[in-house]
Structures are given as C-alpha cells and as structure tokens.
Amino acid sequence: MSDGLMQLNGHERVRSSAMCGAIILVGAGGMIGQLLLIRVLMVLFYGNELSLALVITGWLLFEAAGAWVGGRSAGFVKRVPVVFVLLVIGYSLALPSVIIVARLTSQAAPLRLIPGHAMGLGHMALTALFTTLPCAFIHGAMFPMSAELLEARASSFSTSRAYLIEMIGSIAACLVFVLVLAVHFTAIQISAALVVIHLALAVWLLATMELTGKARRLWMPATVAAVVAALFSPAIADRLHRFSVDGLWPQGRITTYLNSPYGNIAVLERAGEYTVVYDGRPIIALPHPDAARLQDYAWLAALSHPRPKRSLVLGGGLGGLLSYLLEHPVETLVYTELDPVLPAVLEGLGTEIVRRELADRRTELVASGGRLYLNRTRREFDLILLGDIDIETLQANRFFTEEFFTLAQRRLARGGVMALSLPGSLTYLGGELAMLNACIYHTAASVFDHVMLIPGEQNIVLASDCPLVFTAETATARLQERGLDDGMFTAGYLAYRMDAGRIDEFTAILKDTAVAANLDFRPAGLFYGLRYWGRAFAPRTLDFVSQSRNVPLYYYAGALLPVVGIAWRLLFSSAASEANRITYTIGTSGSAAMSFDLFTLFSFQSLYGYIYQLTGLFIAAL
C-alpha cells in the first residue's frame, strides 16, 4: 500500500489515502455490524446457536446481491463519486436502525412474544433475513465501488489489493470488538460510534473529491452532521438503547442490562418481583422462585443418597435449588457457574434467598464451566446435581452427552449418585417428550450401570454405578432421620411421587423408544429438545419437518434428477462451460469454508459453552 502511495503527487496521495481509509472502514464497519446483529439476534432467538447460520446466511446472501449491484454501478459511481459517500452515510444509519427494529420485532404482530416464549423457525428465518437485508446489501455495494474509486485515484491499486486493505480493517475490527467493545459497550453505543466515524469519513472524502454544482453543497451539512453526532451521540445512544430494550421486554422495568463474555444478562422488575433473563431466556424468578418444583428436585436428589456430605451442583442453582439442597446434611456444597457476572448480579438484587445461599459457610462458589471443573478437579462427590437446565441450546446440551456423563462418573465417590431433571408428565409420556427423555435415559445408561427414572411434571433421572435402592419407604425414613418430615414431603406425597407401578410403566416406555445417543459431536439431545419445544411453540413447522423426514428417499432422488441435468448442461455442454466450472469451484469453496467455520463454532460451543463474545475471533480466522 505504501509503495503505491509514494508514486503519487501530494493531492493524489491525499485522495488515495482517503479512499484507503474508506476501504478499511468498509471492512471494519461491515465486520462490527455483522457481529452486532449476531449478538442482538442470538438474544432474540433465545440463545439458540443454530441461529448463527441464519444470520450469516442472510448477511452473505444480501452482501452478494449488494456486491453485484455495486459492481454493475461502479462505472456510474466513478463519474459521480458522491454516491459512494451517500452509501457510507446510509450504512452507518442503517445499522442502529435495524438493531432497534430487530428488538421491537418480538412485539410486532403476529408474534407478541413474552419472556419464556420462543420464536418458531419460520419467524426466526424471516427476522434474520429482513434484519440483515439493509446493512448487508448496502455494505456489499460499497466494496466494488470503493475499489473502483481507489483504482481511479491510484492505478497501482488493483481490486485484489483493495480486498487486502478491507481484510486488514475486518481483522482489526474483530480484535477490537472481542477485546474491548463487546464487554464495555451496548450495541446501540457501538453503532452510534460507527455513525460518527462514518460521517467523519464522509466529510474527509467530500473534501478530497473534485465536486461541482449541487454535490459541492453536501460538504457543509455533512460536516455539521458529523459534529452534532459527535457531541450528542452518547445521550442519543443511551435513549435509543433504553427504548429498544424496553420494546424487547415491555412486561417489566429493566433494572439491569449488560453483556459479559459469556452471554447477555437482563433483570426485569415488576411489582417487586425480579425475572432474570439470560440470552433471552428467563432463568430465575426472585425473591419468590418456583418453590414446589425446585424443592421437589433438590430433595429427591438429596434423598437418593444416604449421606450426601460432599455435593456438587453444576450451573442453574442460585435462587432456590442450593437453598433446598443445603437443608440436608451437606458438609460441602460446590457450585460451578460459567459466567462469574451472573452471581454478582443476583447478589446485587438484595434478595434474602440468594444472600443466604452465598453466605452459607458450606457453599463454595467456583467461577468455571461445569465440564471444565469436572475435567480439572480430583475431588470426589457423593452427589452431583445438574442445575435447572433445559436442553434447548448446544451450551445446555453439553451437560447431557455421553462424554459429560463419563466425566461425572469419574468424579463420583463409591455409591455416589448423579441427578438431572427433564420435562415430564405424570399421566402421559409419548411423542417428542418420550424421545427427549429416552435419548438422555439411554445415554446415561450407556455410561452408568444403574439408571432410575422418577416420573412427574419434571422427570428426575438418577444414575449410579451402584444399585439404586431408592423407594418411597427409603425416602420417608431418610426424611425422618434428617428431621425434615414436617413439610410438603409427607409419606403420602412420596408414595404418590414414587409409585412403583408408574416408574416401571414409564421406564418401559423409554426403553422401548428408539432414539440416537447424545454425543458432543452428534447432539441428538438438542435435536429432540428442539422438537419438544417446537411442539409447544411452532407445531406447524414441526409437522412439516416430521412429514419431510417420512418421505421415501426415491422421491428426493427423483426431484434431484432435473437439478443434475441442469448442472451437467451448465458445466459440460454449454458454450460457457469452462466459465461455469470456475464459478462452481468458487461457490463450492466458499460453501466449504463457511461450513467449516460454522462447524468450528458449534464444536467450540459444545465443548466450552461460551461463543457469545468469541464469535468474532472465529469469523476473523476465516
């Protein structure tokens, strides 16, 4: 880049420097915009990592369409360079606009979502496409135009060199975003800063262009706009941020909204009740949690072991689960939490239940992912309890795989028990619900010698390498021994909850249900979990997918025959077959590269569980 600039005279050097700066900003602004939309939509899409594919697909699709239009218009822009300046300004204004629109989408008809109600696949796809369209299309058009303008000012700068300059901006933006912007600033603040930077660049470009007539008059309003944006953007950004997140969760007053390296945390307050939302999913209600459900899970898990002195809870335990577990004769309770910011936020709410859990001398809080802790520690536990976790993301699914159960098995003391909960029913176990439960049951049974199911509104699965002698009578005796027999857990309730006939009947259903085992790199649990939640939130989409899976294979083979014929014609029989083969090679190379990038992202999430901030590094590496 410097060699080309040295060959130019002073005025041409300034003009070329301005265009080089513009191309760097095209790369940086586009990368930051893409990462911002990924993070914003991941929250809107309930933290589902598969939505990454939708966002990246939408971005690349419209980026390509914009690049085609920009390439076709490059000759015109070369004669009227002010069009490129208008695109620079337009992109900067489009980014905060689509972020706000994306957050307000959940409350637009026909969605009307509330916390706890996830989008269906169709709504997710439409939201991703329409949200990425404006920014990606404008950004795609900017690069061929900027390359054409740079070559006009410095002939030594070819398109490939312009692409290299853009990549420098993209990679630098990724690093700055991951290390600085993602943690300390909101999406609206970052996009507001991009508005100021793009306006400043527009002023610089206009100052170096040989403009005449009406075009020359743009310089003054652009300068004034840049100065005003620089002065007032912080206050405007704060107001727009508040407006957009209020629209995302209108059911409560937002008292906390922040991003950590691991996810997005929001706290909603309504009539003295707090709902803690993590990556768009409600995870805790304070100060009055769902006591009956949490106590049922914690107590049955604790009663399954005669002396659960050394206990371990992996995530999802604060706000009730730890409290009920500490009512049993536990001497040491280790609690792992992947996101260290979350306990601090919960403690800051000043609720008695969280304060009591963290202040108990038996509680040992470990800021680490549960799997990483199990892999590193050499301690053994009488009871390992999975926290209140639903299988709806890769981040959650990694706690229900065969590899995870193997880690947990190694950390159980002799006679130790592992417990987890799943969606359930006291009256019926079939369809998607049976598939989900059977998948996890069979996966646990492939590792542990003994697995027991306790059916209920939440099914509880107990696993151990020693025989599980756990009946209603055993549980009642242990309650009396621990002095805990004066509450909800009466002998009658335990006899009903642990009815041997129901346990045998539901266990037989799970054993007879044919499902795939859940593995880290074959997340069948996530598949069945999404099917289960799809039945609740998007039944039509689920029916369509299910019917598609039942179509005979030869139907698909017949449908592919015309495609094969057209491909053969284009690649081998047409007059432009050689050019078509080159185009095909470029297309398949891009498809393979993007597939590899997504596979790497999903694999990292399956093993470590925190791609929320690190997504930029994977895209920069690509």
Side-chain angles (χ1 to χ4, degrees), residues 11 13 39 72 90 119 122 150 156 196 219 260 274 326 367 380 467 469 532:
H11 182 61
R13 190 177 302 171
R39 287 161 64 93
R72 303 278 291 185
M119 278 190 187
L150 179 60
S156 60
V196 175
W219 187 84
S260 78
Y274 296 100
L326 287 167
E380 293 186 341
V469 183
Y532 169 72

Side-chain angles (χ1 to χ4, degrees), residues 471-540:
T471 63
E473 293 75 16
T474 305
T476 302
R478 289 174 182 170
L479 274 179
Q480 295 172 348
E481 178 186 334
R482 299 172 189 182
L484 298 174
D485 54 344
D486 58 349
M488 177 186 79
F489 272 65
T490 62
Y493 173 76
L494 287 170
Y496 170 75
R497 185 73 167 86
M498 301 181 66
D499 179 73
R502 189 189 302 115
I503 290 176
D504 292 340
E505 176 188 352
F506 280 39
T507 301
I509 292 174
L510 297 188
K511 288 182 177 180
D512 292 338
T513 302
V515 289
N518 192 26
L519 308 176
D520 282 343
F521 298 122
R522 193 183 64 189
L526 175 62
F527 172 73
Y528 295 122
L530 292 178
R531 289 194 60 168
Y532 169 72
W533 291 108
R535 179 59 63 193
F537 297 124
R540 292 182 181 178

Side-chain angles (χ1 to χ4, degrees), residues 69-367:
V69 172
R72 303 278 291 185
S73 309
F76 172 76
V77 174
K78 190 174 181 179
R79 297 192 305 272
V80 189
V82 73
V83 173
F84 176 73
V85 177
L86 294 176
L87 285 178
V88 170
I89 298 173
Y91 175 78
S92 68
L93 296 177
L95 183 57
S97 301
V98 297
I99 290 174
I100 295 171
V101 169
R103 287 174 170 170
L104 298 180
T105 298
S106 63
Q107 293 307 312
L111 297 181
R112 300 291 181 191
L113 300 183
I114 60 174
H117 187 173
M119 278 190 187
L121 179 61
H123 288 145
M124 288 174 61
L126 289 175
T127 301
L129 291 176
F130 284 109
T131 302
T132 54
L133 191 157
C135 291
F137 186 85
I138 296 173
H139 184 263
M142 288 167 63
F143 175 73
M145 293 181 181
S146 63
E148 184 75 15
L149 289 172
L150 179 60
E151 188 174 1
R153 284 155 175 74
S155 58
S156 60
F157 283 84
S158 61
T159 301
S160 60
R161 210 164 182 187
Y163 184 73
L164 175 62
I165 297 172
E166 187 202 25
M167 284 298 99
I168 292 173
S170 298
I171 295 172
C174 278
L175 297 176
V176 172
F177 183 87
V178 170
L179 299 177
V180 180
L181 301 180
V183 178
H184 300 291
F185 302 96
T186 66
I188 297 296
Q189 288 173 329
I190 296 171
S191 59
L194 286 179
V195 171
V196 175
I197 296 172
H198 280 72
L199 285 174
L201 174 67
V203 172
W204 187 18
L205 288 173
L206 288 172
T208 61
M209 290 178 177
E210 296 176 355
L211 303 176
T212 58
K214 295 181 180 180
R216 183 179 297 176
R217 300 172 189 171
L218 288 174
W219 187 84
M220 183 56 70
T223 304
V224 173
V227 173
V228 171
L231 292 176
F232 295 100
S233 63
I236 295 174
D238 288 341
R239 289 181 177 272
L240 289 177
H241 168 72
R242 175 60 60 175
F243 169 72
S244 64
V245 296
D246 282 345
L248 184 58
W249 295 298
Q251 294 80 14
R253 181 177 64 89
I254 297 174
T255 61
T256 301
Y257 184 92
L258 54 86
N259 292 307
S260 78
Y262 306 96
N264 175 271
I265 303 172
V267 179
L268 316 180
E269 186 272 335
R270 184 177 182 182
E273 294 284 335
Y274 296 100
T275 301
V276 182
V277 181
Y278 197 90
D279 282 349
R281 305 187 310 275
I283 58 171
I284 304 172
L286 295 171
H288 305 108
D290 188 349
R293 182 176 61 86
L294 293 175
Q295 184 182 12
D296 182 79
Y297 177 33
W299 277 35
L300 284 175
L303 291 170
S304 68
H305 194 282
R307 290 175 297 279
K309 295 181 179 180
R310 297 161 295 172
S311 298
L312 170 66
V313 177
L314 303 173
L318 287 172
L321 194 62
L322 295 186
S323 292
Y324 293 118
L325 199 56
L326 287 167
E327 292 175 350
H328 291 261
V330 175
E331 295 179 358
T332 302
L333 178 57
V334 179
Y335 174 62
T336 67
E337 180 59 62
L338 173 65
D339 193 339
V341 178
L342 182 59
V345 169
L346 297 178
E347 192 172 14
L349 297 178
T351 56
E352 176 63 23
I353 189 169
V354 175
R355 186 202 64 77
R356 188 171 62 248
E357 289 171 338
L358 294 176
D360 195 297
R361 60 176 179 79
R362 296 170 291 172
T363 302
E364 181 181 333
L365 179 62
V366 178

